Amino acid sequence: RRKEREARAAEWEAKKAEMERARLLQEEEEQAEKERQAALQYKKEQERLKLEEEKRLAKIEEAKAKELEQRRKAEERQREIEAAAEAERKVLLARLAELKIKEEKAKEAVELKRKEKQKLAEEKRVKAEEKIAETKEYLEAKQRAAKVEFDA
């Protein structure tokens, strides 16, 4: 009986040890599962953070690209404005040159007309002097003739 009791006690101890080992194994498996889940969660979180960082960097790059494009467009507009201003300046300089040429031609024409008038006035004066001289000679001749007639 004692042996039977000892055998049952030993069986019970073996069963208890087996149950304890099963319980510890279960706890280890649960712990391993928890750690695996935590590692998976950590990996997912890292992946999410990485994607967020990539999105943020992409937005920054996009903003830089937009800024560069705007700067390029602004520089292009500035070049167009400067080119238009230069073209306008050349047009104005050409007009100014034309006006100077016209002014010179007008001055020359006025000078030519003035010389022409001066020449005509000189010719009139000479004719008038000739006429005066002729009239004087005529009167002197007439006077001499009258004197000769009077003397005779």
Side-chain angles (χ1 to χ4, degrees):
R1 240 185 194 184
R2 197 172 54 109
K3 277 191 176 186
E4 211 176 287
R5 217 178 332 142
E6 282 177 5
R8 270 193 308 222
E11 242 180 76
W12 173 246
E13 283 301 318
K15 198 174 183 181
K16 251 173 63 177
E18 184 61 34
M19 284 172 37
E20 182 64 20
R21 203 169 55 245
R23 187 184 64 77
L24 288 173
L25 193 62
Q26 173 110 16
E27 281 181 6
E28 277 181 26
E29 285 177 7
E30 286 174 0
Q31 185 63 31
E33 181 62 22
K34 281 183 184 176
E35 287 173 3
R36 198 174 59 73
Q37 289 296 326
L40 198 61
Q41 190 64 31
Y42 177 79
K43 189 176 177 183
K44 283 183 182 176
E45 183 64 16
Q46 290 302 311
E47 193 64 31
R48 185 187 65 78
L49 290 174
K50 183 180 171 187
L51 284 173
E52 281 181 10
E53 183 66 14
E54 286 173 358
K55 283 182 186 176
R56 191 180 68 79
L57 289 173
K59 282 184 181 176
I60 289 171
E61 286 302 313
E62 187 178 333
K64 282 182 184 176
K66 280 184 182 176
E67 184 182 339
L68 282 173
E69 182 64 17
Q70 287 175 344
R71 190 177 300 143
R72 187 192 63 74
K73 284 182 180 176
E75 288 170 355
E76 181 71 24
R77 278 194 302 274
Q78 185 63 30
R79 279 194 295 276
E80 288 172 1
I81 289 169
E82 287 171 1
E86 182 63 21
E88 183 66 20
R89 188 181 74 81
K90 286 180 181 177
V91 166
L92 292 175
L93 286 174
R95 280 196 201 148
L96 182 63
E98 286 176 17
L99 289 174
K100 283 184 178 178
I101 290 169
K102 284 182 182 177
E103 183 183 10
E104 281 300 313
K105 285 184 179 177
K107 282 182 181 177
E108 288 173 10
V110 165
E111 184 64 22
L112 197 64
K113 281 187 180 179
R114 187 188 64 76
K115 285 183 179 177
E116 192 98 4
K117 281 184 181 177
Q118 195 176 17
K119 187 178 173 186
L120 286 174
E122 182 65 24
E123 287 175 2
K124 280 185 182 178
R125 187 186 63 74
V126 168
K127 281 184 183 176
E129 284 177 359
E130 287 175 0
K131 197 159 192 140
I132 290 172
E134 284 176 15
T135 307
K136 208 175 183 182
E137 283 178 28
Y138 171 76
L139 288 175
E140 285 174 0
K142 206 173 182 182
Q143 199 175 18
R144 277 194 304 267
K147 192 177 179 187
V148 168
E149 212 176 287
F150 180 73
D151 285 344

